[in-house]
C-alpha cells in the first residue's frame, strides 16, 4: 500500500492526486497545482490568460497551452478512478492515514514542491516522479501527517531519538496543536517530521505504531518557532530549501522552478551548510588563534608596562640620588668658598684696624702740637714768645716736613680680587644635564681608506667624538648579499676588533683581491650605534715573472717584470715547468690564484704578436697557450685580435693602438675579462668554471712586454654593464660551438 500511495502522490503538493491532468509528457499533475504554477508566472501587468506554456515539474518538458488554458488539457480519468478505489480500500477511522490527512488542516501551497526540484540541484535535470517523491529532501517538507521516510532510523516514539540540533528546553506551557477543545491540552511530544506538537490523546490518534508513522521523529515538546523553517521572501508561505550560488541567497523550490533563479546554479542546503560551516570553523580557528596571539601579546605588553613602571621608579630614584649628590657637592663647595671669604675678611679688617690705630696716634700727636702752637701765638711779649715759640716752631716745621712719615699708609682697597667667581661653564653644563645617549653613528670615509694586497686601513669620523668611549670595527668577506641586515645578523662570519681609541685602524692578514664589508660601532656607557656598511677591497695579488718558467729565447729583466724576445738561445736548464718547443715563447707568473678578484695590466709597447691569459699548472708548456682545455688567452697577430681556448678561436674587436691590456681574474665568480685599459673599454669575458688554481701566462713573438701587478680594480672595470657581458657570453658560446674558427685560415702566417 505504501508503494501504491507513493505512485498516486502529486509531485507538487505531495498529496493524493485531486482532479489530475494528463500532461503531454505522460506525467500527471493536480489541476490546482498546475493552476498555482501558472499563477506564479503571472505579474501585476500580465493576466493569467496570457500564460501559454509551463514546464512539467517532473521532467521539465514544456507544456504548451491553447486558448482554453488548463481546461484544454485532458483529465487523467483512469488515475482518478484508481485513487478513488485506493481511498475506499484504505482503512477508515481516526487511526487511518487517509483520515488523519483529512482531519489535518490544509496548508496553502507549502514548500512540498521541493521534492520535484531536488533532482535538479545536483544533476541539473529533472528526475522521475517516483524518485523525487521518495527522496529525503522531499519528505522533509511534506504535510505534517504525510508519508515520510526522512529518518528511517527513528523507529519508536522514545526520547532516544532526540536530536541536539532541535531539542530545546521543556516549556510546560506548550499546548497541543491538534486538539479541537478549548483550551487545548498540554503537549507531551512534538513531531519534528510533522512540525506539530501533540497531547497524549492526539498523538495516539494520529501516530499509530505502524508504518509510515514509525519513521517520524518525536521529541520533547518545543516551541513552534524552533521547528518552522525560514520562508521565502518572494513566495509567501514557501520554505527555503535551496541556496542560489549566483545571488548568494536562500531560495524556495518555486524560485528555482518558475522564479528568477531558474537559470542559476543552486546548491542544497546541506552542501552549502557543510561548506560554509567548514569555512566558518576554519576562520573561527584562525580567529581563536589570533585572539590567543593577541592575548599573549597583550600579556607581554602588560608585563612591559609593569616593567616600565619599575624602571621609571628606579630611574627617578637614581635621578634624585644623582641630583642630591650634585646639590651636596655644590653645598660643600659653597661652604669652602664662604670660609675663604670670611678668612679674607678677617685679614683685611685686621690690617684696616691697625691702620686706623696708627692714624689715631698720629692725629693725637698732631692735635697736641697744634694746641701748643696756638698757645705760643697768643703770647704778645716778644721775649717770652721767642723763648717759648722757638721749640714749638721747630717741632711744627719738622712735623710739616715729615708729613709722609706722620700720616700712616692707609690701604683703601676693599675689593676681593682673589675671589672672582665665574660659574658660566658650570651653569652651561648644569643646564645641559640629561641622560647620556648613545653616540651618533660614525661615518666611514671611503676616500680616506687605503688598501694593499693583504691590508685595509679604514678611516671614519664621528660627530660625538668627545662622548665616544671607544670604537669597534667589524668586517667580513662580501658575498654579494644585498640585505645587510640579515648579513649583519649572521654573526658567525664577522671578525671583531674591539676597544679602538683612534678614528682609524689597519686590518692585516686579509685575502688579496677580495671585497670586504666593514662596520664601525661607536660605543659609550649609554649604548652603541653602527655606521653604514662600507665595501672595501684589497688590491690584487702582486706577482712577478717566474724565471724557472721562461722560454730559453726570452730574456727577463732583473726585477722580473719585463720579458723580451731574444733570438739568441740563452743557456737555461730544462725544467718541467719551463715553456719549451718551437714557437712557445712564454713565461708564467710566480703565483697561483685560487680565490678573490685580481687585476693586472700588461704594457704591450710595440709588440704586435702576443698571447696573454691564465692557465692551470697542468697546461702543456710545449704548445701555444689557448690550444688546450687548460688555458684561456687574449691574443694579437699583427692586425688581428682574438680569444682562444681549447684550440677554438674567436675574433674580437680591439684598437690597433692597444698599448695597455687590463686583465681581470674573478676566480670566485668564474670569469676572466680583458680590457683596453687606456680607453676604459671592455674587450671580452670568458665564463670559466675553475676547478684548479690558475697562474698568469704571457707569450710574445716580437718585441717586449712589461707587467704591472698588485693593482686595485679600476672604476671602469666595476662599471661594465651586465648586458654587455651577457652579449659577450653569447658570442663566445656561438664560436665555441664551431669545430673550426673562421679566423684560422687567416692565421697561417702566424703559425
Amino acid at each position: 500500500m505504501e508503494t501504491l500511495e507513493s505512485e498516486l502522490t502529486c509531485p507538487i503538493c505531495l498529496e493524493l492526486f485531486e482532479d489530475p491532468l494528463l500532461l503531454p509528457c505522460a506525467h500527471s499533475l493536480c489541476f490546482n497545482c498546475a493552476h498555482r504554477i501558472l499563477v506564479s508566472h503571472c505579474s501585476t501587468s500580465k493576466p493569467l490568460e496570457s500564460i501559454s506554456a509551463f514546464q512539467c515539474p517532473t521532467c521539465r518538458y514544456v507544456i504548451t497551452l491553447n486558448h482554453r488554458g488548463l481546461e484544454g488539457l485532458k483529465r487523467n480519468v483512469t488515475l482518478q478512478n484508481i485513487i478513488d478505489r485506493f481511498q475506499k480500500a484504505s482503512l477508515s477511522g481516526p487511526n487511518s492515514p487517509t483520515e488523519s490527512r483529512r482531519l489535518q488542516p490544509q496548508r496553502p501551497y507549502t514548500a512540498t514542491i521541493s521534492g520535484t526540484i531536488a533532482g535538479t540541484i545536483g544533476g541539473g535535470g529533472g528526475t522521475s516522479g517516483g524518485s523525487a517523491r521518495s527522496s529525503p529532501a522531499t519528505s522533509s517538507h511534506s504535510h505534517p501527517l504525510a508519508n515520510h521516510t526522512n529518518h528511517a532510523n527513528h523507529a519508536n516514539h522514545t526520547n532516544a531519538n532526540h536530536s541536539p540540533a532541535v531539542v530545546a528546553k521543556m516549556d510546560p506551557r506548550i499546548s497541543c496543536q491538534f486538539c479541537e477543545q478549548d483550551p487545548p491540552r498540554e503537549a507531551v511530544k512534538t513531531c519534528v517530521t510533522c512540525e506539530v506538537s501533540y497531547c497524549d490523546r492526539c498523538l495516539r490518534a494520529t501516530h499509530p505504531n505502524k508504518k509510515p508513522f514509525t519513521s517520524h521523529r518525536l521529541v520533547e515538546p518545543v516551541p513552534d518557532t524552533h521547528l518552522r523553517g525560514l520562508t521565502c521572501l518572494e513566495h509567501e508561505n514557501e520554505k527555503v530549501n535551496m541556496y542560489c550560488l549566483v545571488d548568494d541567497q536562500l531560495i524556495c523550490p518555486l524560485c528555482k522552478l518558475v522564479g528568477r533563479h531558474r537559470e542559476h546554479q543552486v546548491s542544497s542546503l546541506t552542501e552549502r551548510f557543510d561548506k560554509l560551516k567548514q569555512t566558518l570553523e576554519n576562520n573561527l580557528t584562525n580567529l581563536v588563534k589570533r585572539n590567543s596571539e593577541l592575548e599573549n601579546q597583550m600579556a607581554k605588553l602588560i608585563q612591559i608596562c609593569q616593567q616600565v613602571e619599575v624602571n621609571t621608579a628606579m630611574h627617578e630614584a637614581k635621578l634624585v640620588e644623582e641630583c642630591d649628590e650634585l646639590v651636596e657637592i655644590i653645598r660643600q663647595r659653597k661652604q669652602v668658598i664662604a670660609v675663604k671669604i670670611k678668612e679674607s675678611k678677617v685679614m683685611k679688617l685686621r690690617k684696616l684696624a691697625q691702620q686706623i690705630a696708627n692714624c689715631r696716634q698720629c692725629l693725637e700727636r698732631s692735635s697736641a702740637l697744634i694746641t701748643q702752637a696756638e698757645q705760643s701765638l697768643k703770647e704778645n711779649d716778644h721775649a717770652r714768645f721767642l723763648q717759648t715759640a722757638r721749640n714749638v716752631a721747630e717741632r711744627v716745621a719738622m712735623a710739616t716736613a715729615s708729613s709722609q712719615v706722620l700720616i700712616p699708609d692707609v690701604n683703601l682697597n676693599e675689593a676681593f680680587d682673589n675671589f672672582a667667581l665665574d660659574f658660566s661653564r658650570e651653569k652651561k653644563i648644569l643646564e645641559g644635564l640629561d641622560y647620556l645617549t648613545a653616540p651618533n653613528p660614525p661615518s666611514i670615509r671611503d676616500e680616506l681608506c687605503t688598501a694593499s694586497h693583504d691590508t685595509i686601513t679604514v678611516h671614519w669620523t664621528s660627530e660625538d667624538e668627545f662622548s665616544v668611549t671607544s670604537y669597534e670595527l667589524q668586517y667580513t668577506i662580501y658575498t654579494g648579499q644585498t640585505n645587510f641586515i640579515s648579513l649583519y645578523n649572521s654573526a658567525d662570519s664577522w671578525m671583531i676588533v674591539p676597544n679602538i681609541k683612534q678614528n682609524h685602524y689597519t686590518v692585516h692578514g686579509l685575502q688579496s683581491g677580495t671585497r670586504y664589508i666593514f662596520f664601525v660601532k661607536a660605543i659609550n656607557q649609554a649604548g652603541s650605534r653602527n655606521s653604514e656598511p662600507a665595501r672595501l677591497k684589497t688590491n690584487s695579488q702582486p706577482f712577478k715573472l717566474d724565471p724557472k718558467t721562461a722560454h730559453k729565447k726570452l730574456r727577463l729583466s732583473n726585477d722580473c717584470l719585463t720579458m723580451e724576445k731574444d733570438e739568441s738561445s740563452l743557456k737555461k736548464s730544462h725544467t718541467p715547468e719551463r715553456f719549451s718547443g718551437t714557437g712557445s715563447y712564454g713565461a708564467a707568473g710566480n703565483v697561483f690564484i685560487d680565490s678573490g678578484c685580481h687585476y693586472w695590466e700588461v704594457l704591450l709597447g710595440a709588440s704586435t704578436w702576443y698571447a696573454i691569459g691564465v692557465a692551470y699548472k697542468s697546461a702543456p708548456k710545449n704548445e701555444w697557450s689557448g690550444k688546450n682545455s687548460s688555458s684561456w688567452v687574449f691574443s694579437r697577430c699583427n692586425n688581428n685580435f682574438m680569444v682562444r681556448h681549447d684550440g677554438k678561436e674567436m675574433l674580437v674587436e680591439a684598437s690597433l693602438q692597444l698599448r695597455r691590456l687590463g686583465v681581470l681574474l674573478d676566480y670566485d665568480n668564474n670569469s676572466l675579462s680583458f680590457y683596453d685599459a687606456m680607453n676604459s673599454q671592455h674587450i671580452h669575458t670568458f665564463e670559466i668554471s675553475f676547478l684548479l688554481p690558475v697562474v698568469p701566462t704571457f707569450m710574445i713573438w716580437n718585441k717586449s712586454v712589461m707587467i704591472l701587478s698588485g693593482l686595485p680594480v679600476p672604476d671602469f672595470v666595476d662599471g661594465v654593464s651586465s648586458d654587455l657581458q651577457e652579449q659577450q657570453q653569447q658570442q663566445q658560446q656561438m664560436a665555441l660551438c664551431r669545430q673550426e674558427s673562421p679566423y684560422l685560415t687567416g692565421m697561417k702566417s702566424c703559425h
Side-chain angles (χ1 to χ4, degrees):
M1 294 293 288
E2 288 184 16
T3 305
L4 178 60
E5 184 178 4
S6 63
E7 294 295 332
L8 301 178
T9 302
C10 174
I12 298 298
C13 64
L14 295 183
E15 302 289 342
L16 294 178
F17 283 107
E18 183 177 352
D19 194 9
L21 296 175
L22 181 60
L23 304 180
C25 59
H27 291 119
S28 296
L29 191 64
C30 293
F31 183 88
N32 290 335
C33 293
H35 181 74
R36 283 195 288 268
I37 293 177
L38 296 183
V39 171
S40 65
H41 282 283
C42 292
S43 60
T44 55
S45 60
K46 190 175 182 182
L48 182 63
E49 292 75 10
S50 61
I51 305 299
S52 61
F54 69 97
Q55 287 183 331
C56 171
T58 301
C59 66
R60 312 290 296 219
Y61 180 80
V62 177
I63 310 300
T64 304
L65 302 177
N66 56 23
H67 65 282
R68 297 178 58 192
L70 293 177
E71 296 295 340
L73 296 176
K74 295 181 180 180
R75 294 297 196 273
N76 196 339
V77 180
T78 303
L79 180 59
Q80 184 64 54
N81 293 334
I82 295 174
I83 293 174
D84 293 341
R85 292 178 183 177
F86 173 77
Q87 290 177 334
K88 290 179 181 179
S90 299
L91 294 176
S92 61
N95 294 338
S96 172
T98 306
E99 183 66 16
S100 299
R101 187 182 299 111
R102 184 185 63 82
L103 295 175
Q104 180 67 24
Q106 294 291 328
R107 289 179 295 168
Y109 195 32
T110 62
T112 54
I113 196 171
S114 60
T116 306
I117 309 302
T120 64
I121 296 175
T127 60
S128 65
S131 61
R133 289 189 294 272
S134 62
S135 66
T138 303
S139 303
S140 62
H141 298 278
S142 65
H143 191 275
L145 300 182
N147 179 19
H148 297 282
T149 58
N150 190 22
H151 297 280
N153 58 329
H154 298 281
N156 54 60
H157 300 171
T158 63
N159 293 337
N161 298 329
H162 296 174
S163 173
V166 296
V167 175
K169 184 177 180 180
M170 169 75 74
D171 187 352
R173 293 175 295 178
I174 296 177
S175 301
C176 176
Q177 296 173 295
F178 202 75
C179 283
E180 296 181 355
Q181 69 178 37
D182 190 19
R185 286 184 291 271
E186 182 179 341
V188 295
K189 293 291 181 180
T190 296
C191 179
V192 178
T193 308
C194 300
E195 299 182 0
V196 176
S197 297
Y198 298 98
C199 65
D200 185 61
R201 179 180 299 178
C202 294
L203 180 64
R204 288 197 303 270
T206 59
H207 286 68
N209 190 15
K210 60 181 179 179
K211 293 184 179 181
F213 301 106
T214 54
S215 62
H216 287 208
R217 296 174 57 203
L218 298 177
V219 298
E220 294 300 321
V222 294
D224 186 54
T225 55
H226 288 210
L227 296 173
R228 301 290 182 186
L230 297 177
T231 58
C232 181
L233 299 177
E234 298 183 9
H235 302 93
E236 187 177 359
N237 296 327
E238 290 296 325
K239 290 185 179 180
V240 294
N241 65 345
M242 286 178 283
Y243 196 87
C244 179
L245 300 178
V246 177
D247 295 335
D248 199 22
Q249 70 178 55
L250 294 165
I251 62 173
C252 71
L254 280 180
C255 293
K256 176 59 178 174
L257 183 64
V258 293
R260 62 186 180 90
H261 300 277
R262 58 185 174 184
E263 302 297 334
H264 292 177
Q265 183 180 1
V266 298
S267 171
S268 65
L269 294 184
T270 302
E271 180 181 352
R272 187 61 182 172
F273 167 82
D274 293 339
K275 184 176 181 181
L276 184 58
K277 184 178 180 181
Q278 183 64 37
T279 302
L280 181 59
E281 288 177 349
N282 294 338
N283 293 338
L284 181 60
T285 301
N286 295 334
L287 183 59
V288 171
K289 181 179 179 182
R290 177 60 177 166
N291 283 352
S292 177
E293 294 176 354
L294 288 176
E295 289 176 356
N296 294 336
Q297 185 71 14
M298 188 171 65
K300 292 180 182 178
L301 292 175
I302 293 174
Q303 184 179 2
I304 293 174
C305 289
Q306 296 172 350
Q307 189 63 39
V308 167
E309 294 289 346
V310 174
N311 292 340
T312 301
M314 181 183 65
H315 285 286
E316 287 178 348
K318 183 66 175 178
L319 175 63
V320 172
E321 180 184 352
E322 293 291 336
C323 290
D324 289 345
E325 289 183 3
L326 289 177
V327 172
E328 179 62 21
I329 292 173
I330 294 175
R331 188 188 65 78
Q332 292 178 1
R333 294 307 302 167
K334 177 183 176 181
Q335 290 180 351
V336 171
I337 296 175
V339 169
K340 289 183 179 180
I341 293 175
K342 289 180 180 180
E343 291 175 352
S344 179
K345 171 187 173 182
V346 171
M347 183 181 64
K348 285 181 178 290
L349 291 178
R350 186 182 294 118
K351 289 182 179 180
L352 290 174
Q354 184 64 36
Q355 290 180 1
I356 290 173
N358 293 337
C359 288
R360 183 178 291 111
Q361 185 179 2
C362 291
L363 182 60
E364 291 175 353
R365 291 176 183 175
S366 297
S367 298
L369 185 58
I370 290 172
T371 301
Q372 188 177 3
E374 289 178 346
Q375 292 294 333
S376 297
L377 290 175
K378 292 179 180 180
E379 184 64 49
N380 294 325
D381 187 353
H382 294 278
R384 291 183 180 274
F385 177 78
L386 292 174
Q387 183 179 2
T388 59
R390 179 180 177 182
N391 186 25
V392 173
E394 290 178 355
R395 291 172 60 190
V396 170
M398 184 180 297
T400 304
S402 60
S403 60
Q404 296 296 329
V405 178
L406 294 175
I407 298 176
D409 182 16
V410 179
N411 186 4
L412 300 179
N413 183 14
E414 76 285 357
F416 285 70
D417 296 334
N418 295 333
F419 295 93
L421 296 178
D422 183 11
F423 291 153
S424 58
R425 181 173 61 87
E426 288 76 7
K427 289 179 180 178
K428 187 174 182 180
I429 294 176
L430 289 174
E431 289 172 355
L433 282 181
D434 201 349
Y435 283 105
L436 182 64
T437 59
N440 290 327
S443 176
I444 297 179
R445 302 287 301 276
D446 292 359
E447 69 278 8
L448 300 179
C449 298
T450 58
S452 67
H453 72 282
D454 61 351
T455 65
I456 292 180
T457 300
V458 186
H459 290 260
W460 62 85
T461 57
S462 175
E463 297 178 358
D464 299 333
E465 187 172 349
F466 295 103
S467 67
V468 176
T469 304
S470 64
Y471 296 99
E472 183 178 278
L473 182 64
Q474 303 181 27
Y475 64 94
T476 187
I477 295 177
Y478 177 58
T479 59
Q481 186 174 353
T482 56
N483 189 345
F484 292 109
I485 301 299
S486 59
L487 178 63
Y488 183 77
N489 291 335
S490 58
D492 296 341
S493 61
W494 288 85
M495 301 296 294
I496 300 176
V497 183
N499 199 27
I500 302 174
K501 301 300 182 181
Q502 299 85 10
N503 58 353
H504 59 85
Y505 188 82
T506 300
V507 182
H508 297 270
L510 302 178
Q511 297 182 18
S512 59
T514 304
R515 196 179 299 275
Y516 288 83
I517 294 289
F518 286 88
F519 284 96
V520 176
K521 181 185 293 185
I523 306 172
N524 63 12
Q525 294 178 348
S528 62
R529 289 186 180 176
N530 290 332
S531 68
E532 291 294 324
R535 287 183 289 182
L536 303 176
K537 183 179 181 298
T538 54
N539 292 343
S540 305
Q541 174 70 44
F543 63 88
K544 296 181 179 181
L545 296 171
D546 188 356
K548 296 179 182 179
T549 64
H551 194 277
K552 63 181 181 179
K553 289 191 176 182
L554 292 179
R555 184 187 303 276
L556 303 185
S557 61
N558 293 332
D559 56 8
C560 293
L561 296 178
T562 302
M563 55 186 290
E564 180 180 5
K565 175 70 183 306
D566 189 349
E567 291 297 336
S568 60
S569 180
L570 302 177
K571 293 183 180 180
K572 296 179 181 179
S573 60
H574 178 73
T575 58
E577 60 268 18
R578 187 182 301 280
F579 282 86
S580 61
T582 304
S584 299
Y585 309 126
N590 61 353
V591 61
F592 283 93
I593 300 173
D594 59 0
S595 65
C597 182
H598 305 269
Y599 178 80
W600 63 89
E601 293 182 355
V602 182
L603 302 182
L604 303 172
S607 177
T608 58
W609 196 0
Y610 52 80
I612 311 295
V614 297
Y616 292 144
K617 183 178 181 180
S618 59
K621 300 297 188 297
N622 58 353
E623 63 181 10
W624 286 16
S625 295
K627 289 288 188 179
N628 49 71
S629 61
S630 301
S631 56
W632 300 260
V633 295
F634 168 81
S635 177
R636 177 179 180 178
C637 180
N638 296 329
N639 295 333
N640 298 309
F641 297 90
M642 71 194 71
V643 289
R644 184 167 57 241
H645 168 65
D646 200 14
K648 300 180 179 65
E649 298 174 339
M650 183 178 70
L651 292 174
V652 294
E653 300 242 349
S655 173
L656 293 176
Q657 283 72 40
L658 180 62
R659 293 294 179 266
R660 201 169 76 199
L661 178 67
V663 183
L664 177 68
L665 172 61
D666 192 346
Y667 193 96
D668 296 333
N669 290 322
N670 300 311
S671 66
L672 174 67
S673 302
F674 299 94
Y675 298 87
D676 183 344
M678 293 187 65
N679 297 320
S680 304
Q681 292 181 350
H682 174 260
I683 298 176
H684 183 76
T685 295
F686 282 107
E687 292 296 329
I688 309 168
S689 296
F690 293 111
L691 303 176
L692 299 169
V694 294
V695 60
T697 58
F698 309 87
M699 280 191 171
I700 60 172
W701 286 269
N702 62 9
K703 308 299 180 180
S704 63
V705 296
M706 179 179 180
I707 62 172
L708 302 174
S709 63
L711 303 177
V713 178
D715 294 337
F716 72 86
V717 171
D718 282 340
V720 171
S721 60
S722 59
D723 55 346
L724 179 60
Q725 293 183 357
E726 190 172 325
Q727 180 182 359
Q728 295 291 342
Q729 295 172 22
Q730 293 176 355
Q731 293 178 357
Q732 178 188 16
Q733 292 173 358
M734 292 174 61
L736 293 179
C737 289
R738 293 194 291 262
Q739 293 296 328
E740 262 185 31
S741 169
Y743 187 62
L744 282 178
T745 55
M747 285 292 296
K748 291 182 179 179
S749 59
C750 298
H751 285 265

